[in-house]
Structures are given as structure tokens and as C-alpha cells.
Amino acid sequence: MTEEVNNGCDSCAFYNAAQLKKLGVNVDNADYVIALAGNPNTGKSTVFNALTGLKQHTGNWPGKTVTRAEGGYSYGEKQYKLIDLPGTYSLLSTSEDEEVARNFILFGRPDVTVVVVDASRLERNLNLVLQVLEITDRAVLCLNLMDEAHRHGIEIDARSLAKDLGIPVVPTSARSNEGIPELIQTIQGVAAGEIKCKPHRIKNLPKKLSKAVDELNSEIVSAYPDLPNSRWVAMRLLDGDQEVMQALKNGEFQYVQDNEQG
Amino acid sequence: MCKTMSKDKSQNILEKASSLRWEVGDNFHDKLTEGIYADSAAISKRAETKEGQGDYRFDRKLDKILTSRGFGFPIMFLILSIILWLTIQGANYPSGMLATLLLENIHPLLKQGAASIGMVWWLDGFLIDGVYLALAWVIAVMLPPMAIFFPLFTLLEDFGYLPRVAFNMDSMFRKSGAHGKQALTMTMGWGCNAAGVVATRIIDSPRERLIAIITNNFSLCNGRWPTQILIATIFIGALVPASWANITATAAVIGIALLGVAFMFFSSWILSKTVLKGEVSTFALELPPYRPPRFWKTIYTSLIDRTLIVLWRAMVFAAPAGAVIWLVSNIHVSDISLANWSIEYLDGFGLLLGLNGVILLAYIVAIPANEIVIPTILMLTVANLNMMGLGAGEGVMFELDSSLETGNILKAGGWTLLTGVNLMLFSLLHNPCSTTIYTIYRETKSWKWTAVASVMPLILGLVVTFLVAQFWRLAE
């Protein structure tokens, strides 16, 4: 991987450099930071390799990527930094790899989060997608393993999915590089703000709960008007998430907001 | 000012949240999860059409066999046996070729070159007989088996077999108080213990992860397979008629590998009953769909990713070890080399364990890389016996053309079947190599656990070889 020095970088305010550095990510010379999230064993590492040309070891067993892998690529004169997050089924509990993934999306604020899903197990994979969409509104769904779904007689209407989720959906078969050019293009579109996302918000909540979420949410919004994931923070607080409470006390959201405005 | 303001704001939010938590009750998490599931179901129903069955009939059929009570374990042993047998059989020929090329052709050329530029004898010995020969030996012995073992293993991994192994062994690991995913890290350890230790990150519970780290050394690693294979061929294969020799040797090596698994269960059980007490945590292991591996790509990446990286590591450690071997054999105190001093010093203790001083010294010298144990043993045996005409001089590692010749040297050095068996046991049960020790420290960040993981297998090895030697001699 060669990283060319990009002079326009110093003045580029697309990313939250200080926060990312705190998470151990070197963002020098990168215009956009892209996170790869997804359930275990959906081919995230294969997508990562296809995008970066790196040869991360891939294997057919869940939990193979145990740390964050990093790589980069350039497209249309922009440098993209790619972070391969550990595979998780959800972002709601507290195992180590789920925290790595969640903290990265929440505090690292990637420019685009690509959620890789197994097309042949769509329903189960969507659980994580919906949670990611509560945290960030700049996301792309990579509908991977299309070849496998096909083999098992499963067809997926990507347009209907995109409409329901409110984010672009790109079908891929990363093993054979199918759909990767389209994925790169779509990531660029979302990163540059050319594609606007209107992410789906979790709907099927009992009345009492959604009222509580809304109430707390409006409190958070009035304190931090530019926090994009205030609703998710509200849900975490109602769930008693210690780490999010701590982050709130330490003023980390304030920090996020200051940087966002700057 | 800004800071106090944000303090107030966050305090307000937290208070609000805690009062709302009372209102919604404590089932928020469940309700939220249910909501997410309901949304997922609705969305996927709209987007998805399943033609025909849309199921995994083939996968289920295969899983019924591969994870069945009756066939699960026999199939596992069969697959392991086939891989090992292919490795033993297949590595022989290229190993011999590499040895001929690097040791018999290139080594004399280097010596001549050094002589022609008038290099002083000690520099020439240190660099060419020490460092170069150690590197050449590691390449000749390690590269062929790794180039066969790793791709085969990776093909199985790509196909999706490893999670089935974990599934089969889950209940055994649970009974020993460990995590079922330890089966995965155990199989990774068969390739390389350092890699196995890193792979324990997939285990969430710190207690179970520590158990997996400490016991990973009982997975016979790639650096030790060649030792096992050679000694099994010389001492155990020789017990049966020639046509059965390879199969018997394979069986002996598998026996040692399985003994390692047994020790892993046993020590996990001891640890979970003593210093690492706790409940076994449950986990969901997803059996991924079987995927036809892409053959050539797998061969390519496993050669680049695993084989060359592990080989490089071995070379980095072998070079200084080769230098040390040459030095201890050539530095003399009262006309006796340091090597001979230590061999004599260690001999009594070694014999007590059914081993000898040479083997113990070789293990001390070879702490950096298990791969160089056998060449060190041969070199020290020859130097100790002053077998002139054999080998290439003091402190020079060499490779013998056939295991028969190797056997002759070892037998001349006083080796018996007991020495062979106990060397195989000790090779299984001793401290991890320095890379693994360093990796354990990096993963646990604790000197205490690193020390436990390093010393425990060594103590176990000393006890086991001692007991075997005593009973053996009683029976004789």
C-alpha cells in the first residue's frame, strides 16, 4: 500500500482527527475514514481485501478478525482509510469485540460505515444494520455473498431494501470481486455527501417506551443540537449503559460536537 | 465556563434518564431487542424471495454426519491422520533436495569463498558454520512440511470444518471448565502456538481466555512436528517391518498429538478448579455454511500469509541460535568446550528423566525456536563423541542423508527406545518458544501468567518423563 502525501489534507475538516487518533488510528493523509462492520463470518475481511488489495488472512469461521485491521485505497484523487472492525451480532451488549466496534462507530465517527451482511441470512443480519443506523446516518449496506444466496435459491430485491433502510445497498460477491467497483463508487458518493441517507429508525417499540425515548431525546438534542445519534444515546441511557453514561459525564459528546462544528 | 456548562447539561440528562428508567421498568432491553427483531423481519420479508426450498439441505446433511455422536470423532481423527500422513510422506523428498542443495552444495562453496578471501577461521566458523548452517537447516526441515500442512489446513478452514471441530469438542471443554471456542484456538496452535495465543481473543471471558492461553502450548506446534516425525521414524517405525514403518510412525505422532489434547483438558480442568475458578460461560457458535474453497487462491495466500511468515520468524531466531551453538562448541575451558562441560553437568539429571545431557542442552539453546532442536542434538552428540569423519567439525550443524544414519549416530550416543519416547514426550511438554512467551505477555499484560504459562508445561514435562523413565526401568 502506498500512501501519497495529500496537501489538501490539513484543511480538510471531514473527519474527527483527534478522536480517531485517540482510538489508535493514524489518519494522516486520509481524506475519508471508512469503517467496515457486520456480523461474524459475512466476508468482511474479504471485502476489506478486495477494497485495499491487502491480503488479510480470511477464513470460514466466525470471529476470525479479533482486532481492527487497517488499510487504505485511493479513488478519484481522494485517500480512503479503511478500518475492518471485529464481527458482532449486536451493539447492545458488552463483550470486548462489540465494544471495539461500537466505540469506533460512536466516538470514531467514520465518514462512512459500510455494513457487510450475508445475503443468504438477511433477516438475522439486519438486526445489526438497524442498530448501526441508529448510531450513524452515513452508511452503505454491502449485500455480500450474493453468489451463495443465489446457490441456495434466495433472491433479494436490493431496491426495496434500500428504500426501507434509507441507505444505498450494493450487492456484491467479494470473493470474485463482483460489485466491488460499485461499492467503491457508492462509498465515495456517501462520503462526499452526494448521496443523502435517510436511515431507518427502529419503529416497533411499545408506546410507553418510544415516549420515554422521545422525551429523553429532546433533552439531549437541546443540550447537544448537532449530535446525530441522540436517539441512540437516549436508548442506551434508558438501558443503563455505564460506558455511555461515563462518556456523557466526561463531556465526550461535547467534544464530538465541538469538533463537528469546527 | 464551557466545562461547567456541559457538566450541568449532562447531569440534567442523567437525572432525567434515571427517572425515566423507573417509568419504563426494567424490561427496556428486551423490548428494544424485540422491536429490532420485528423491524428486521418486516424489512427482510419485503426484500427477500426464496425460490424452491431456499434452505441448506446439503449443509444439514453434511453436518448430521460431521457432528454426529457416532462419526464426529472418528472423522476428525481420520482427517487429521490424512493431513499428517500427507505431510510426512510429502515433505521427505523436497526436504532431502533442499538439504542437499543448501548443505552439500552451497555450504562448501561458501567455505571455499571464505578461504579464498582469507577470512579468519573464527569469523568463517561463526558465520558459515554457525549462522548459515542454522538457517539452512531450518529452511530444509521446516519449509516443506509447512508448505504442505498449512495449505491443507487452510483448505479445511475455508471449507468451514473448524467450527464443526469446535462443536464436537465443546462438551469436553465445558466439562474441563473451559470455553468451547478453545477448540478453535487449539487447532490454530497445531500450526503455531503464538498464532493460537493471539486467536484466544475470540473468547470473551477473561478467565476462560487465560485458560486457553496457558494450555495452548499443549497443541503440538509446527516447530515440533518435524522432531516428532523424525524420532518416531527412527525409534518407533523401526520396531515394525519396513512396509509398516511409515504408518506406525504416523500413528505414534498422532498419539503424541492426542496426548497433548488430553493434557490440555487435564490442565484446563486443574486450572478451573484451583487458581482460575469460575462458571463456564455459554456462547452461541454459528456453524457457517460450507463454502467450496477457492483452491489456488487458498494455496497462494496460505503460502504467503502463513508459511513464509512463520519461516521468516524461525530464521530470525535460528540465526543467533546457530551462532551460540558454534560458540559453546568452540570456546574451551581447560581444553574442554563449554558444550561438553554443560553436557556432562546435565547428564546425570538427564538420565534420571530418561533423556540425556545433550537433549537438555539442546532444549536450552533452542528456546528461541523449537525447530532447531534436532540439528542441535545431532551436532552436540557428534561433538561429544568426537566422531570424526561424521559431521563437519565442532559446532557445525549438519543434516544426514537418511533417518537411518541419524539413528546410528543417536544409538552410538547411547540412545535407546526410552530416550526416543521420552524425547517425544518432552518435546510435547516443555516451555513454549520465546516468540510464544512474548506473545503471551503481550496478550495477558501480566508477568505472573506469562511465568505460569511458561513454567507449568516444563514442570509437567519433567514429571512425566521422570515417571516414564522410572516405570520403564522397573519393567526392564
Side-chain angles (χ1 to χ4, degrees):
Chain A
M1 183 187 69
T2 52
E3 274 189 325
E4 285 166 43
V5 179
N6 194 323
N7 290 327
C9 200
D10 293 342
S11 57
C12 130
F14 280 103
Y15 57 84
N16 207 327
Q19 280 292 82
L20 284 165
K21 271 197 185 119
K22 227 163 83 185
L23 288 158
V25 182
N26 175 16
V27 289
D28 294 348
N29 309 325
D31 297 301
Y32 299 119
V33 175
I34 315 296
L36 272 186
N39 280 25
N41 212 40
T42 52
K44 272 189 310 302
S45 299
T46 316
V47 172
F48 179 86
N49 286 347
L51 287 174
T52 58
L54 288 179
K55 302 229 164 26
Q56 270 274 318
H57 176 67
T58 59
N60 187 7
W61 50 287
K64 186 206 57 62
T65 308
V66 281
T67 42
R68 269 186 339 226
E70 295 175 22
Y73 65 93
S74 63
Y75 175 72
E77 294 178 0
K78 295 283 185 191
Q79 297 290 329
Y80 293 76
K81 177 108 188 175
L82 198 62
I83 318 285
D84 189 10
L85 298 172
T88 55
Y89 294 103
S90 105
L91 299 173
L92 296 175
S93 71
T94 49
S95 79
E96 198 176 329
D97 39 359
E98 289 190 10
E99 245 161 52
V100 171
R102 188 198 69 180
N103 286 351
F104 190 82
I105 303 173
L106 182 59
F107 300 119
R109 320 275 331 265
D111 293 291
V112 182
T113 303
V114 178
V115 192
V116 183
V117 303
D118 178 348
S120 63
R121 286 144 190 246
L122 183 62
E123 181 178 340
R124 199 178 37 187
N125 278 235
L126 281 180
N127 294 329
L128 177 73
V129 177
L130 295 180
Q131 293 172 38
V132 171
L133 292 187
E134 286 288 339
I135 303 182
T136 174
D137 49 10
R138 283 169 300 186
V140 173
L141 188 79
C142 169
L143 199 55
N144 196 27
L145 300 171
M146 283 301 277
D147 45 354
E148 203 166 285
H150 210 77
R151 229 178 27 242
H152 291 290
I154 298 169
E155 297 297 331
I156 290 171
D157 180 1
R159 285 174 65 189
S160 138
L161 197 58
K163 207 165 142 250
D164 274 341
L165 293 174
I167 56 168
V169 172
V170 185
T172 62
S173 301
R175 268 153 68 101
S176 47
N177 232 27
E178 259 168 69
I180 297 300
E182 291 83 346
L183 182 62
I184 291 176
Q185 231 168 33
T186 313
I187 292 173
Q188 183 269 330
V190 175
E194 290 158 14
I195 302 175
K196 287 267 178 270
C197 301
K198 277 185 91 178
H200 173 276
R201 302 294 187 194
I202 297 163
K203 293 191 181 92
N204 276 305
L205 283 177
K207 264 234 165 67
K208 204 169 76 177
L209 262 62
S210 64
K211 218 183 113 224
V213 171
D214 289 343
E215 210 173 306
L216 190 56
N217 185 24
S218 62
E219 187 94 0
I220 297 170
V221 168
S222 74
Y224 308 106
D226 291 315
L227 199 66
N229 41 34
S230 56
R231 212 174 96 101
W232 188 83
V233 172
M235 287 197 258
R236 295 316 299 149
L237 289 175
L238 286 174
D239 203 2
D241 186 318
Q242 292 297 331
E243 200 169 334
V244 172
M245 288 186 198
Q246 200 56 47
L248 195 64
K249 273 186 205 152
N250 296 347
E252 291 199 37
F253 292 106
Q254 181 70 43
Y255 189 72
V256 165
Q257 181 163 351
D258 288 345
N259 274 278
E260 202 70 10
Q261 287 164 339
Chain B
M1 189 205 96
C2 180
K3 204 153 196 187
T4 38
M5 216 180 79
S6 95
K7 265 249 161 70
D8 288 349
K9 280 195 290 188
S10 63
Q11 204 54 45
N12 285 344
I13 294 169
L14 286 174
E15 273 161 24
K16 181 96 186 166
S18 86
S19 76
L20 281 169
R21 262 206 302 280
W22 281 104
E23 272 174 47
V24 297
D26 55 8
N27 60 355
F28 181 82
H29 192 94
D30 298 344
K31 290 285 180 225
L32 177 62
T33 311
E34 278 168 27
I36 294 172
Y37 274 61
D39 277 15
S40 301
I43 294 172
S44 68
K45 203 173 165 195
R46 277 199 289 275
E48 203 173 45
T49 41
K50 290 179 179 171
E51 282 165 22
Q53 302 295 313
D55 67 4
Y56 293 82
R57 267 183 302 178
F58 171 73
D59 285 41
R60 282 202 202 115
K61 260 187 201 153
L62 200 55
D63 269 341
K64 262 199 180 130
I65 302 168
L66 291 182
T67 62
S68 75
R69 277 173 190 277
F71 294 111
F73 277 90
I75 290 176
M76 262 163 53
F77 295 141
L78 191 69
I79 290 178
L80 178 63
S81 311
I82 291 173
I83 289 186
L84 280 180
W85 188 79
L86 284 175
T87 307
I88 291 177
Q89 281 283 348
N92 245 338
Y93 183 66
S95 259
M97 281 203 335
L98 278 174
T100 311
L101 178 72
L102 295 174
L103 302 163
E104 283 171 30
N105 296 339
I106 296 183
H107 181 245
L109 280 181
L110 287 176
K111 291 294 267 186
Q112 277 170 25
S116 72
I117 59 167
M119 200 184 267
V120 280
W121 73 271
W122 54 265
L123 189 60
D124 158 272
F126 183 85
L127 287 179
I128 299 174
D129 295 336
V131 175
Y132 169 78
L133 278 187
L135 290 179
W137 219 96
V138 165
I139 293 174
V141 167
M142 284 188 69
L143 184 57
M146 281 197 317
I148 299 172
F149 186 79
F150 280 152
L152 288 176
F153 197 80
T154 316
L155 283 175
L156 267 191
E157 189 184 334
D158 261 19
F159 178 58
Y161 184 63
L162 291 194
R164 273 81 190 176
V165 172
F167 184 87
N168 284 339
M169 302 190 86
D170 176 47
S171 71
M172 292 169 77
F173 277 103
R174 274 161 178 299
K175 272 178 201 148
S176 56
H179 198 286
K181 281 190 199 166
Q182 199 179 320
L184 288 174
T185 63
M186 178 193 77
T187 43
M188 292 304 290
W190 281 338
C192 169
N193 290 139
V197 168
V198 174
T200 61
R201 290 181 189 168
I202 59 173
I203 298 172
D204 299 330
S205 132
R207 181 190 79 88
E208 287 157 350
R209 190 171 165 214
L210 260 179
I211 294 181
I213 288 176
I214 293 170
T215 58
N216 193 272
N217 188 42
F218 295 122
S219 282
L220 205 54
C221 75
N222 166 71
R224 294 179 277 169
W225 290 110
T227 309
Q228 298 287 350
I229 291 165
L230 185 68
I231 299 298
T233 313
I234 294 172
F235 288 95
I236 296 178
L239 294 176
V240 294
S243 53
W244 288 91
N246 266 342
I247 292 193
T248 315
T250 306
V253 176
I254 290 170
I256 291 285
L258 293 182
L259 192 66
V261 176
F263 271 111
M264 183 177 289
F265 284 128
F266 178 67
S267 52
S268 299
W269 181 73
I270 297 274
L271 285 170
S272 71
K273 286 277 171 273
T274 55
V275 282
L276 288 170
K277 254 184 231 161
E279 290 300 305
V280 176
S281 57
T282 51
F283 71 104
L285 178 70
E286 187 178 357
L287 292 182
Y290 292 102
R291 288 171 188 155
R294 283 151 312 153
F295 190 79
W296 292 112
K297 181 138 195 206
T298 304
I299 301 282
Y300 172 79
T301 47
S302 68
L303 280 180
I304 300 296
D305 269 10
R306 290 190 166 164
T307 312
L308 289 187
I309 285 173
V310 176
L311 186 71
W312 174 245
R313 183 197 77 84
M315 288 169 63
V316 166
F317 281 105
V324 168
I325 293 170
W326 187 84
L327 284 176
V328 294
S329 302
N330 283 281
I331 295 175
H332 291 79
V333 180
S334 333
D335 270 353
I336 300 175
S337 71
L338 280 183
N340 281 3
W341 276 112
S342 5
I343 288 169
E344 248 161 66
Y345 180 74
L346 291 167
D347 227 17
F349 184 54
L351 288 175
L352 199 64
L353 301 175
L355 301 168
N356 56 41
V358 171
I359 296 176
L360 292 184
L361 179 61
Y363 266 100
I364 295 170
V365 174
I367 284 177
N370 282 304
E371 299 79 21
I372 54 175
V373 165
I374 285 289
T376 312
I377 286 176
L378 289 177
M379 185 275 295
L380 290 172
T381 305
V382 174
N384 195 31
L385 289 176
N386 284 325
M387 284 174 144
M388 295 319 283
L390 257 179
E394 283 181 20
V396 179
M397 282 206 246
F398 60 93
E399 156 77 306
L400 296 149
D401 286 340
S402 69
S403 50
L404 190 72
E405 253 179 86
T406 316
N408 286 337
I409 291 207
L410 294 179
K411 280 165 192 160
W415 286 51
T416 61
L417 179 58
L418 170 66
T419 326
V421 169
N422 269 0
L423 175 58
M424 287 174 78
L425 286 171
F426 193 69
S427 154
L428 174 70
L429 304 170
H430 69 92
N431 52 287
C433 71
S434 53
T435 314
T436 307
I437 295 176
Y438 174 64
T439 310
I440 292 173
Y441 174 70
R442 235 180 24 199
E443 294 296 318
T444 61
K445 294 268 183 287
S446 146
W447 287 113
K448 191 185 92 182
W449 290 117
T450 309
V452 169
S454 312
V455 175
M456 188 198 70
L458 183 63
I459 293 175
L460 213 54
L462 295 178
V463 170
V464 167
T465 48
F466 175 77
L467 289 178
V468 169
Q470 300 317 308
F471 282 112
W472 191 289
R473 283 169 189 151
L474 275 182
E476 259 177 354

